[in-house]
Structure formats: structure tokens, C-alpha cells
Coordinates of all heavy atoms in Angstrom, one line a residue:
M1 N -129.4 -120.5 -114.9 CA -128.9 -119.9 -116.1 C -129.0 -121.0 -117.3 O -128.6 -122.1 -117.1 CB -127.5 -119.4 -115.9 CG -127.0 -118.5 -117.0 SD -127.8 -117.0 -117.0 CE -126.9 -116.2 -118.2
P2 N -129.5 -120.6 -118.4 CA -129.5 -121.5 -119.5 C -128.2 -121.9 -120.0 O -127.2 -121.2 -119.8 CB -130.3 -120.8 -120.6 CG -130.1 -119.3 -120.3 CD -130.0 -119.3 -118.8
K3 N -128.1 -123.0 -120.7 CA -126.8 -123.4 -121.4 C -127.1 -123.6 -122.9 O -128.1 -124.2 -123.2 CB -126.3 -124.7 -120.8 CG -125.7 -124.6 -119.4 CD -125.1 -125.9 -119.0 CE -124.4 -125.7 -117.6 NZ -123.7 -126.9 -117.2
I4 N -126.2 -123.1 -123.7 CA -126.3 -123.4 -125.1 C -126.0 -124.8 -125.4 O -125.0 -125.4 -124.9 CB -125.3 -122.5 -125.9 CG1 -125.5 -121.0 -125.5 CG2 -125.5 -122.7 -127.4 CD1 -126.9 -120.4 -125.7
R5 N -126.8 -125.5 -126.2 CA -126.6 -126.9 -126.5 C -125.2 -127.0 -127.2 O -124.8 -126.2 -127.9 CB -127.6 -127.4 -127.5 CG -129.0 -127.6 -126.9 CD -130.0 -128.4 -127.7 NE -129.5 -129.0 -128.9 CZ -130.0 -128.7 -130.1 NH1 -131.0 -127.8 -130.3 NH2 -129.5 -129.2 -131.2
K6 N -124.5 -128.1 -126.8 CA -123.1 -128.3 -127.2 C -123.0 -128.4 -128.8 O -121.9 -128.0 -129.3 CB -122.6 -129.5 -126.6 CG -122.4 -129.3 -125.1 CD -121.8 -130.6 -124.4 CE -121.9 -130.3 -123.0 NZ -121.3 -130.7 -122.0
N7 N -123.9 -129.0 -129.5 CA -123.8 -129.2 -130.9 C -124.2 -128.0 -131.7 O -124.1 -128.0 -133.0 CB -124.6 -130.4 -131.3 CG -126.1 -130.2 -131.1 OD1 -126.5 -129.4 -130.3 ND2 -126.9 -131.1 -131.8
I8 N -124.5 -126.9 -131.1 CA -124.9 -125.6 -131.8 C -123.6 -124.9 -132.3 O -122.7 -124.7 -131.5 CB -125.7 -124.7 -130.9 CG1 -127.0 -125.4 -130.5 CG2 -126.0 -123.4 -131.7 CD1 -128.0 -125.8 -131.6
A9 N -123.6 -124.6 -133.6 CA -122.4 -123.9 -134.2 C -122.7 -122.5 -134.2 O -123.8 -122.1 -134.7 CB -122.1 -124.5 -135.6
I10 N -121.8 -121.6 -133.7 CA -122.0 -120.2 -133.7 C -120.8 -119.5 -134.3 O -119.7 -119.7 -133.8 CB -122.2 -119.7 -132.3 CG1 -123.4 -120.4 -131.6 CG2 -122.4 -118.2 -132.3 CD1 -123.5 -120.2 -130.2
S11 N -121.0 -118.8 -135.4 CA -119.8 -118.1 -136.0 C -119.6 -116.7 -135.4 O -120.5 -116.2 -134.7 CB -120.1 -117.9 -137.5 OG -121.0 -116.9 -137.7
E12 N -118.5 -116.1 -135.6 CA -118.2 -114.8 -135.0 C -119.0 -113.7 -135.7 O -119.1 -112.6 -135.1 CB -116.7 -114.5 -135.2 CG -115.8 -115.3 -134.3 CD -116.2 -115.2 -132.8 OE1 -116.3 -114.0 -132.3 OE2 -116.3 -116.2 -132.1
S13 N -119.6 -114.0 -136.8 CA -120.5 -113.0 -137.5 C -121.9 -113.1 -137.0 O -122.7 -112.3 -137.4 CB -120.4 -113.2 -139.0 OG -120.9 -114.4 -139.4
G14 N -122.2 -114.1 -136.1 CA -123.6 -114.2 -135.6 C -124.5 -115.2 -136.3 O -125.6 -115.2 -136.0
F15 N -123.9 -116.0 -137.1 CA -124.6 -117.1 -137.8 C -124.7 -118.3 -136.8 O -123.7 -118.7 -136.3 CB -123.9 -117.5 -139.1 CG -124.6 -118.6 -139.8 CD1 -125.7 -118.3 -140.6 CD2 -124.1 -119.8 -139.8 CE1 -126.3 -119.3 -141.3 CE2 -124.7 -120.9 -140.5 CZ -125.8 -120.6 -141.3
V16 N -125.9 -118.8 -136.6 CA -126.1 -119.9 -135.7 C -126.7 -121.1 -136.5 O -127.7 -120.9 -137.2 CB -127.1 -119.5 -134.5 CG1 -127.4 -120.7 -133.6 CG2 -126.6 -118.4 -133.7
F17 N -126.1 -122.3 -136.3 CA -126.6 -123.4 -137.1 C -126.9 -124.6 -136.1 O -126.1 -124.9 -135.2 CB -125.6 -123.9 -138.1 CG -126.0 -125.1 -138.8 CD1 -127.0 -125.1 -139.7 CD2 -125.3 -126.3 -138.6 CE1 -127.4 -126.3 -140.4 CE2 -125.7 -127.5 -139.2 CZ -126.8 -127.5 -140.2
D18 N -128.1 -125.1 -136.2 CA -128.5 -126.3 -135.4 C -128.5 -127.5 -136.3 O -129.3 -127.7 -137.1 CB -129.9 -126.1 -134.9 CG -130.4 -127.2 -134.0 OD1 -129.7 -128.2 -133.9 OD2 -131.6 -127.1 -133.5
P19 N -127.5 -128.4 -136.1 CA -127.3 -129.6 -137.0 C -128.5 -130.6 -136.8 O -128.7 -131.4 -137.7 CB -126.0 -130.2 -136.6 CG -125.7 -129.6 -135.2 CD -126.4 -128.3 -135.1
L20 N -129.2 -130.6 -135.6 CA -130.3 -131.5 -135.5 C -131.5 -131.2 -136.3 O -132.1 -132.1 -136.9 CB -130.7 -131.6 -134.0 CG -129.7 -132.2 -133.0 CD1 -130.2 -132.2 -131.6 CD2 -129.4 -133.6 -133.4
S21 N -131.8 -129.9 -136.4 CA -132.9 -129.5 -137.2 C -132.6 -129.0 -138.6 O -133.4 -129.0 -139.5 CB -133.7 -128.4 -136.5 OG -132.9 -127.2 -136.5
G22 N -131.3 -128.7 -138.8 CA -130.9 -128.1 -140.1 C -131.2 -126.6 -140.2 O -130.9 -126.0 -141.2
E23 N -131.8 -126.0 -139.1 CA -132.2 -124.6 -139.1 C -130.9 -123.7 -138.9 O -130.0 -124.1 -138.2 CB -133.2 -124.3 -138.1 CG -134.5 -125.1 -138.3 CD -135.3 -124.5 -139.5 OE1 -135.2 -123.3 -139.8 OE2 -136.1 -125.3 -140.0
S24 N -131.0 -122.5 -139.4 CA -129.9 -121.6 -139.2 C -130.6 -120.2 -138.8 O -131.7 -120.0 -139.2 CB -129.0 -121.4 -140.4 OG -129.7 -121.0 -141.5
Y25 N -129.9 -119.4 -138.0 CA -130.4 -118.2 -137.5 C -129.3 -117.1 -137.6 O -128.1 -117.5 -137.6 CB -130.9 -118.3 -136.1 CG -131.8 -119.5 -135.8 CD1 -131.3 -120.8 -135.5 CD2 -133.1 -119.4 -136.0 CE1 -132.1 -121.9 -135.3 CE2 -134.0 -120.5 -135.9 CZ -133.5 -121.7 -135.5 OH -134.3 -122.8 -135.3
S26 N -129.7 -115.9 -137.6 CA -128.7 -114.8 -137.5 C -129.0 -114.0 -136.2 O -130.1 -113.7 -135.9 CB -128.9 -113.9 -138.7 OG -128.5 -114.5 -139.9
L27 N -127.9 -113.7 -135.5 CA -128.0 -112.9 -134.3 C -127.5 -111.5 -134.6 O -126.6 -111.3 -135.4 CB -127.1 -113.5 -133.2 CG -127.5 -114.9 -132.7 CD1 -126.4 -115.4 -131.8 CD2 -128.8 -114.9 -132.1
N28 N -128.1 -110.5 -133.9 CA -127.6 -109.2 -133.9 C -126.3 -109.1 -133.0 O -126.1 -110.1 -132.2 CB -128.6 -108.1 -133.5 CG -129.1 -108.2 -132.1 OD1 -128.4 -108.7 -131.2 ND2 -130.3 -107.7 -131.9
P29 N -125.6 -108.1 -133.0 CA -124.3 -108.0 -132.2 C -124.6 -108.2 -130.7 O -123.8 -108.9 -130.0 CB -123.8 -106.6 -132.4 CG -124.2 -106.3 -133.8 CD -125.6 -106.9 -133.9
L30 N -125.7 -107.7 -130.1 CA -126.0 -107.9 -128.7 C -126.3 -109.3 -128.4 O -125.9 -109.9 -127.4 CB -127.1 -106.9 -128.2 CG -127.4 -107.0 -126.8 CD1 -126.2 -106.8 -125.9 CD2 -128.5 -106.0 -126.4
G31 N -127.1 -109.9 -129.3 CA -127.5 -111.3 -129.1 C -126.3 -112.2 -129.2 O -126.1 -113.2 -128.4
L32 N -125.4 -111.9 -130.1 CA -124.1 -112.7 -130.2 C -123.3 -112.6 -128.9 O -122.7 -113.5 -128.4 CB -123.3 -112.2 -131.4 CG -122.0 -113.0 -131.7 CD1 -122.2 -114.5 -131.9 CD2 -121.3 -112.4 -132.9
E33 N -123.2 -111.4 -128.4 CA -122.5 -111.1 -127.1 C -123.1 -111.9 -126.0 O -122.4 -112.5 -125.2 CB -122.4 -109.6 -126.8 CG -121.4 -109.2 -125.8 CD -121.2 -107.7 -125.7 OE1 -121.7 -107.0 -126.6 OE2 -120.4 -107.3 -124.8
I34 N -124.4 -111.9 -125.9 CA -125.1 -112.6 -124.8 C -124.8 -114.1 -125.0 O -124.5 -114.8 -124.0 CB -126.6 -112.3 -124.8 CG1 -126.9 -110.9 -124.4 CG2 -127.4 -113.3 -123.9 CD1 -128.3 -110.4 -124.5
I35 N -124.9 -114.6 -126.2 CA -124.6 -116.1 -126.4 C -123.2 -116.4 -125.9 O -123.0 -117.4 -125.3 CB -124.8 -116.4 -127.9 CG1 -126.2 -116.4 -128.3 CG2 -124.1 -117.7 -128.2 CD1 -127.0 -117.7 -128.1
H36 N -122.2 -115.6 -126.3 CA -120.9 -115.9 -125.9 C -120.7 -115.8 -124.3 O -120.0 -116.7 -123.8 CB -119.9 -114.9 -126.5 CG -119.6 -115.2 -128.0 ND1 -119.0 -116.4 -128.4 CD2 -119.8 -114.5 -129.1 CE1 -118.9 -116.4 -129.7 NE2 -119.4 -115.3 -130.1
L37 N -121.4 -114.9 -123.7 CA -121.3 -114.8 -122.2 C -121.9 -116.0 -121.6 O -121.4 -116.6 -120.6 CB -121.9 -113.5 -121.7 CG -121.2 -112.2 -122.1 CD1 -122.0 -111.0 -121.8 CD2 -119.8 -112.1 -121.3
I38 N -123.1 -116.5 -122.1 CA -123.7 -117.7 -121.6 C -122.8 -118.9 -121.8 O -122.6 -119.7 -120.9 CB -125.1 -117.9 -122.3 CG1 -126.1 -116.8 -121.9 CG2 -125.6 -119.3 -122.0 CD1 -127.4 -116.9 -122.7
K39 N -122.2 -119.0 -123.0 CA -121.3 -120.1 -123.3 C -120.1 -120.1 -122.4 O -119.6 -121.2 -122.0 CB -120.8 -120.1 -124.7 CG -121.9 -120.6 -125.7 CD -121.3 -120.8 -127.1 CE -120.5 -122.1 -127.1 NZ -120.3 -122.6 -128.4
N40 N -119.7 -118.9 -122.0 CA -118.5 -118.8 -121.1 C -118.9 -119.0 -119.6 O -118.0 -118.9 -118.7 CB -117.8 -117.5 -121.3 CG -117.1 -117.4 -122.6 OD1 -116.7 -118.4 -123.2 ND2 -116.9 -116.2 -123.1
G41 N -120.1 -119.4 -119.3 CA -120.5 -119.7 -118.0 C -120.8 -118.5 -117.1 O -120.8 -118.7 -115.8
Q42 N -121.0 -117.4 -117.6 CA -121.3 -116.2 -116.8 C -122.6 -116.3 -116.1 O -123.6 -116.9 -116.7 CB -121.4 -114.9 -117.7 CG -120.1 -114.6 -118.4 CD -119.0 -114.2 -117.4 OE1 -119.2 -113.4 -116.6 NE2 -117.8 -114.7 -117.6
T43 N -122.7 -115.8 -114.9 CA -124.0 -115.8 -114.2 C -124.8 -114.7 -114.8 O -124.3 -113.8 -115.4 CB -123.8 -115.6 -112.7 OG1 -123.3 -114.2 -112.5 CG2 -122.9 -116.6 -112.0
Y44 N -126.1 -114.7 -114.5 CA -127.0 -113.6 -114.9 C -126.5 -112.3 -114.4 O -126.5 -111.3 -115.1 CB -128.4 -113.9 -114.5 CG -129.3 -112.7 -114.9 CD1 -129.7 -112.5 -116.3 CD2 -129.6 -111.7 -114.0 CE1 -130.4 -111.4 -116.7 CE2 -130.4 -110.6 -114.4 CZ -130.8 -110.5 -115.7 OH -131.5 -109.4 -116.1
E45 N -126.1 -112.3 -113.1 CA -125.6 -111.0 -112.5 C -124.4 -110.5 -113.2 O -124.3 -109.3 -113.5 CB -125.4 -111.2 -111.0 CG -126.6 -111.5 -110.2 CD -127.2 -112.9 -110.3 OE1 -126.4 -113.8 -110.8 OE2 -128.3 -113.1 -110.0
D46 N -123.4 -111.3 -113.5 CA -122.2 -110.9 -114.2 C -122.5 -110.4 -115.6 O -122.0 -109.4 -116.1 CB -121.2 -112.1 -114.3 CG -120.6 -112.4 -112.9 OD1 -120.7 -111.6 -112.0 OD2 -120.1 -113.5 -112.8
L47 N -123.4 -111.2 -116.3 CA -123.8 -110.8 -117.7 C -124.5 -109.5 -117.7 O -124.1 -108.6 -118.5 CB -124.7 -111.9 -118.2 CG -125.1 -111.9 -119.6 CD1 -125.2 -113.3 -120.1 CD2 -126.4 -111.2 -119.8
S48 N -125.4 -109.3 -116.8 CA -126.2 -108.1 -116.7 C -125.3 -106.9 -116.4 O -125.3 -105.8 -117.0 CB -127.3 -108.2 -115.6 OG -127.9 -107.0 -115.4
E49 N -124.4 -107.1 -115.4 CA -123.5 -106.0 -115.0 C -122.6 -105.6 -116.2 O -122.4 -104.4 -116.4 CB -122.6 -106.4 -113.8 CG -121.7 -105.4 -113.3 CD -120.9 -105.9 -112.1 OE1 -121.5 -106.6 -111.2 OE2 -119.7 -105.6 -112.0
A50 N -122.0 -106.6 -116.9 CA -121.1 -106.3 -118.0 C -121.9 -105.5 -119.1 O -121.3 -104.5 -119.7 CB -120.5 -107.6 -118.5
L51 N -123.1 -105.9 -119.5 CA -123.8 -105.3 -120.6 C -124.4 -104.0 -120.2 O -124.4 -103.1 -121.0 CB -124.8 -106.3 -121.1 CG -124.2 -107.5 -121.8 CD1 -125.3 -108.5 -122.2 CD2 -123.3 -107.2 -122.9
L52 N -124.8 -103.8 -119.0 CA -125.3 -102.5 -118.5 C -124.2 -101.5 -118.5 O -124.4 -100.3 -118.8 CB -125.9 -102.6 -117.1 CG -127.3 -103.3 -117.1 CD1 -127.7 -103.5 -115.6 CD2 -128.3 -102.6 -117.9
A53 N -123.0 -101.9 -118.2 CA -121.8 -101.0 -118.2 C -121.5 -100.6 -119.6 O -121.0 -99.5 -119.9 CB -120.7 -101.6 -117.5
K54 N -121.6 -101.5 -120.6 CA -121.2 -101.3 -121.9 C -122.2 -100.5 -122.8 O -121.9 -99.7 -123.6 CB -120.9 -102.6 -122.6 CG -120.4 -102.5 -124.0 CD -120.0 -103.9 -124.5 CE -119.3 -103.8 -125.9 NZ -118.9 -105.1 -126.4
Y55 N -123.5 -100.8 -122.5 CA -124.6 -100.2 -123.4 C -125.4 -99.2 -122.5 O -125.6 -99.4 -121.3 CB -125.5 -101.2 -123.9 CG -124.8 -102.2 -124.9 CD1 -124.3 -103.4 -124.4 CD2 -124.5 -101.8 -126.2 CE1 -123.7 -104.3 -125.3 CE2 -123.8 -102.7 -127.0 CZ -123.4 -103.9 -126.6 OH -122.7 -104.8 -127.4
E56 N -126.0 -98.2 -123.2 CA -126.8 -97.2 -122.5 C -128.2 -97.8 -122.4 O -129.1 -97.5 -123.3 CB -126.8 -95.9 -123.3 CG -125.5 -95.2 -123.2 CD -125.5 -93.9 -123.9 OE1 -126.6 -93.3 -124.0 OE2 -124.4 -93.4 -124.3
V57 N -128.5 -98.6 -121.4 CA -129.8 -99.2 -121.2 C -130.0 -99.4 -119.7 O -129.1 -99.5 -118.9 CB -129.9 -100.6 -121.9 CG1 -128.9 -101.6 -121.3 CG2 -131.3 -101.1 -121.9
D58 N -131.3 -99.2 -119.3 CA -131.6 -99.4 -117.9 C -131.8 -100.9 -117.6 O -132.0 -101.7 -118.5 CB -132.8 -98.5 -117.4 CG -134.0 -98.9 -118.2 OD1 -134.6 -100.0 -117.9 OD2 -134.4 -98.1 -119.1
Q59 N -131.8 -101.2 -116.3 CA -132.0 -102.6 -115.9 C -133.3 -103.2 -116.4 O -133.3 -104.4 -116.8 CB -131.9 -102.7 -114.3 CG -131.9 -104.2 -113.8 CD -130.7 -104.9 -114.1 OE1 -129.6 -104.5 -113.8 NE2 -130.8 -106.1 -114.7
E60 N -134.4 -102.5 -116.3 CA -135.7 -103.1 -116.7 C -135.7 -103.4 -118.2 O -136.2 -104.5 -118.6 CB -136.8 -102.0 -116.4 CG -138.2 -102.6 -116.7 CD -139.3 -101.5 -116.3 OE1 -139.1 -100.7 -115.4 OE2 -140.3 -101.6 -117.0
T61 N -135.2 -102.5 -119.0 CA -135.1 -102.8 -120.4 C -134.2 -104.0 -120.7 O -134.6 -104.8 -121.5 CB -134.6 -101.5 -121.2 OG1 -135.5 -100.4 -120.9 CG2 -134.6 -101.7 -122.7
F62 N -133.1 -104.0 -120.1 CA -132.2 -105.2 -120.3 C -132.8 -106.5 -119.9 O -132.8 -107.5 -120.6 CB -130.8 -105.0 -119.5 CG -130.0 -106.2 -119.6 CD1 -129.3 -106.5 -120.7 CD2 -130.0 -107.1 -118.6 CE1 -128.5 -107.6 -120.9 CE2 -129.2 -108.3 -118.7 CZ -128.5 -108.5 -119.8
D63 N -133.5 -106.5 -118.7 CA -134.1 -107.7 -118.2 C -135.2 -108.2 -119.2 O -135.2 -109.4 -119.6 CB -134.8 -107.5 -116.9 CG -133.9 -107.3 -115.7 OD1 -132.7 -107.7 -115.9 OD2 -134.3 -106.8 -114.7
R64 N -136.0 -107.3 -119.8 CA -137.0 -107.6 -120.7 C -136.4 -108.2 -122.0 O -136.8 -109.2 -122.5 CB -137.9 -106.4 -121.1 CG -139.0 -106.7 -121.9 CD -140.0 -105.6 -122.1 NE -139.4 -104.3 -122.5 CZ -139.2 -103.2 -121.8 NH1 -139.7 -103.2 -120.5 NH2 -138.6 -102.2 -122.2
Y65 N -135.3 -107.5 -122.5 CA -134.6 -108.0 -123.7 C -134.0 -109.4 -123.5 O -134.2 -110.3 -124.3 CB -133.5 -107.0 -124.2 CG -132.8 -107.5 -125.4 CD1 -133.3 -107.3 -126.7 CD2 -131.6 -108.2 -125.3 CE1 -132.7 -107.7 -127.8 CE2 -131.0 -108.7 -126.4 CZ -131.5 -108.5 -127.6 OH -130.8 -108.9 -128.7
F66 N -133.3 -109.5 -122.3 CA -132.6 -110.8 -122.0 C -133.6 -112.0 -121.9 O -133.4 -113.0 -122.6 CB -131.9 -110.7 -120.7 CG -131.2 -111.9 -120.3 CD1 -130.0 -112.3 -120.9 CD2 -131.7 -112.8 -119.4 CE1 -129.4 -113.5 -120.6 CE2 -131.1 -114.0 -119.0 CZ -129.9 -114.3 -119.6
Y67 N -134.7 -111.8 -121.2 CA -135.7 -112.9 -121.0 C -136.4 -113.2 -122.3 O -136.7 -114.4 -122.6 CB -136.6 -112.6 -119.8 CG -135.8 -112.8 -118.5 CD1 -135.6 -111.7 -117.7 CD2 -135.3 -114.0 -118.1 CE1 -134.8 -111.8 -116.5 CE2 -134.6 -114.2 -117.0 CZ -134.3 -113.1 -116.2 OH -133.6 -113.2 -115.0
D68 N -136.7 -112.2 -123.1 CA -137.3 -112.4 -124.4 C -136.3 -113.2 -125.3 O -136.7 -114.1 -126.0 CB -137.7 -111.1 -125.1 CG -138.9 -110.5 -124.5 OD1 -139.6 -111.1 -123.7 OD2 -139.2 -109.3 -124.9
F69 N -135.1 -112.8 -125.3 CA -134.0 -113.5 -126.1 C -133.9 -115.0 -125.6 O -133.9 -115.9 -126.5 CB -132.7 -112.7 -125.9 CG -131.6 -113.3 -126.7 CD1 -131.6 -113.2 -128.1 CD2 -130.5 -113.9 -126.1 CE1 -130.6 -113.8 -128.9 CE2 -129.5 -114.5 -126.9 CZ -129.5 -114.4 -128.3
V70 N -133.8 -115.2 -124.3 CA -133.7 -116.6 -123.8 C -135.0 -117.4 -124.2 O -134.9 -118.6 -124.6 CB -133.5 -116.6 -122.3 CG1 -133.6 -118.0 -121.7 CG2 -132.1 -116.0 -122.0
A71 N -136.1 -116.8 -124.2 CA -137.4 -117.5 -124.6 C -137.3 -117.9 -126.0 O -137.7 -119.0 -126.4 CB -138.6 -116.6 -124.3
A72 N -136.8 -117.0 -126.9 CA -136.6 -117.3 -128.3 C -135.6 -118.5 -128.5 O -135.9 -119.4 -129.3 CB -136.2 -116.1 -129.1
L73 N -134.5 -118.4 -127.7 CA -133.5 -119.5 -127.8 C -134.2 -120.9 -127.4 O -134.0 -121.9 -128.1 CB -132.3 -119.2 -126.9 CG -131.4 -118.1 -127.3 CD1 -130.3 -117.9 -126.3 CD2 -130.8 -118.3 -128.7
K74 N -135.0 -120.8 -126.4 CA -135.7 -122.0 -125.9 C -136.7 -122.5 -127.0 O -136.8 -123.7 -127.3 CB -136.4 -121.7 -124.6 CG -137.0 -123.0 -124.0 CD -137.5 -122.7 -122.6 CE -138.1 -123.9 -121.9 NZ -138.6 -123.7 -120.6
Q75 N -137.4 -121.6 -127.5 CA -138.4 -121.9 -128.6 C -137.8 -122.6 -129.8 O -138.3 -123.5 -130.3 CB -139.1 -120.6 -129.0 CG -140.2 -120.9 -130.1 CD -140.8 -119.6 -130.6 OE1 -140.6 -118.5 -130.0 NE2 -141.6 -119.7 -131.6
F76 N -136.6 -122.1 -130.1 CA -135.9 -122.7 -131.3 C -135.0 -123.9 -130.8 O -134.2 -124.4 -131.6 CB -135.0 -121.7 -132.0 CG -135.8 -120.6 -132.6 CD1 -135.6 -119.2 -132.3 CD2 -136.9 -120.8 -133.4 CE1 -136.3 -118.2 -132.8 CE2 -137.6 -119.8 -134.0 CZ -137.4 -118.5 -133.7
N77 N -135.1 -124.3 -129.6 CA -134.5 -125.5 -129.0 C -132.9 -125.4 -129.1 O -132.2 -126.3 -129.5 CB -134.9 -126.8 -129.8 CG -134.6 -128.0 -129.0 OD1 -134.6 -128.0 -127.8 ND2 -134.4 -129.1 -129.7
L78 N -132.4 -124.2 -128.8 CA -131.0 -123.9 -128.9 C -130.3 -124.0 -127.5 O -129.1 -124.0 -127.4 CB -130.7 -122.6 -129.5 CG -131.2 -122.4 -131.0 CD1 -131.0 -121.0 -131.5 CD2 -130.5 -123.4 -131.9
I79 N -131.1 -124.0 -126.5 CA -130.6 -124.1 -125.1 C -131.1 -125.2 -124.3 O -132.2 -125.8 -124.6 CB -130.9 -122.8 -124.3 CG1 -132.4 -122.5 -124.2 CG2 -130.2 -121.6 -125.0 CD1 -132.8 -121.4 -123.3
E80 N -130.4 -125.6 -123.3 CA -130.9 -126.5 -122.3 C -131.0 -125.7 -121.0 O -130.0 -125.1 -120.6 CB -129.8 -127.6 -122.1 CG -129.5 -128.4 -123.3 CD -128.3 -129.3 -123.2 OE1 -127.6 -129.2 -122.1 OE2 -128.0 -130.1 -124.1
V81 N -132.2 -125.7 -120.4 CA -132.4 -125.0 -119.2 C -132.1 -125.9 -118.0 O -132.7 -127.0 -117.9 CB -133.8 -124.4 -119.1 CG1 -134.0 -123.7 -117.8 CG2 -134.0 -123.5 -120.3
E82 N -131.2 -125.5 -117.1 CA -131.0 -126.3 -115.9 C -132.1 -126.3 -115.0 O -132.8 -125.2 -114.8 CB -129.7 -125.8 -115.2 CG -128.4 -126.0 -115.9 CD -127.2 -125.5 -115.2 OE1 -127.4 -124.7 -114.2 OE2 -126.2 -125.9 -115.5
T83 N -132.5 -127.4 -114.4 CA -133.5 -127.4 -113.4 C -132.9 -127.7 -112.0 O -131.9 -128.5 -111.9 CB -134.6 -128.5 -113.7 OG1 -133.9 -129.7 -113.8 CG2 -135.3 -128.2 -115.0
D84 N -133.4 -127.1 -111.0 CA -133.0 -127.3 -109.6 C -133.7 -128.5 -109.1 O -135.0 -128.5 -109.0 CB -133.2 -126.1 -108.7 CG -132.4 -124.9 -109.2 OD1 -131.3 -125.1 -109.7 OD2 -132.9 -123.8 -109.0
A85 N -133.0 -129.6 -108.8 CA -133.7 -130.8 -108.3 C -133.1 -131.2 -107.0 O -132.0 -130.9 -106.7 CB -133.5 -131.9 -109.3

């Protein structure tokens, strides 16, 4: 499971600021919810279960959205991906 970098600032309104690059981003409500669940250490299974119960979406659609979202976070250097060593 990815981890949000510690120095990333995230407001309750979905504003994300990266102090290393000076870049800022805006999250939609679902993206903000996913970020908070990741920061709280939720596993993918827990995160998926919680959001599937809350929103009217099937597992395949959620998986696609989640992995696209995580890829965007990685592209913008907002996460650290743990490696199994």
C-alpha cells in the first residue's frame, strides 16, 4: 500500500501542497477520502470495502479508479511506495 509523503499538506477542502516542488493540487471528495484512508494506514481491502459500501460502484470500476489515482499520486511524487525486500 502506498504512503503519503510526510511533508505533504492536505486541507479538509481537498487542497494538496507539496513544499518540495511548490506545486499544489485539488482533490475531488472521493480522492480526498482515499487520501485520508491511506494516511490512516488502511489496507487496500479495508479501503475498498468501506468505499464500495458507501458509493454505488462495482469492484472493477473502483479498482480502475483507485489504481489510476495512485498512479497520478506517484507521478506527482506525492507518495512513497513500499517495496517488499
Side-chain angles (χ1 to χ4, degrees):
M1 193 66 176
K3 288 188 175 183
I4 306 301
R5 286 191 9 238
K6 292 180 189 211
N7 63 341
I8 299 298
I10 304 167
S11 75
E12 288 304 312
S13 63
F15 180 78
V16 178
F17 177 70
D18 179 359
L20 291 180
S21 69
E23 296 289 332
S24 60
Y25 311 92
S26 292
L27 298 173
N28 65 25
L30 181 56
L32 182 59
E33 194 166 354
I34 290 172
I35 288 275
H36 283 300
L37 291 169
I38 291 172
K39 282 189 77 161
N40 289 333
Q42 298 292 314
T43 65
Y44 175 78
E45 292 77 17
D46 291 340
L47 188 147
S48 174
E49 185 178 315
L51 294 176
L52 287 173
K54 185 172 183 178
Y55 298 99
E56 291 183 25
V57 65
D58 60 74
Q59 184 71 53
E60 183 179 333
T61 302
F62 174 77
D63 288 345
R64 187 172 51 249
Y65 179 85
F66 178 79
Y67 288 113
D68 285 350
F69 182 69
V70 169
L73 293 176
K74 186 174 183 181
Q75 178 182 352
F76 296 126
N77 199 30
L78 299 175
I79 60 172
E80 300 170 354
V81 179
E82 292 182 342
T83 58
D84 296 329

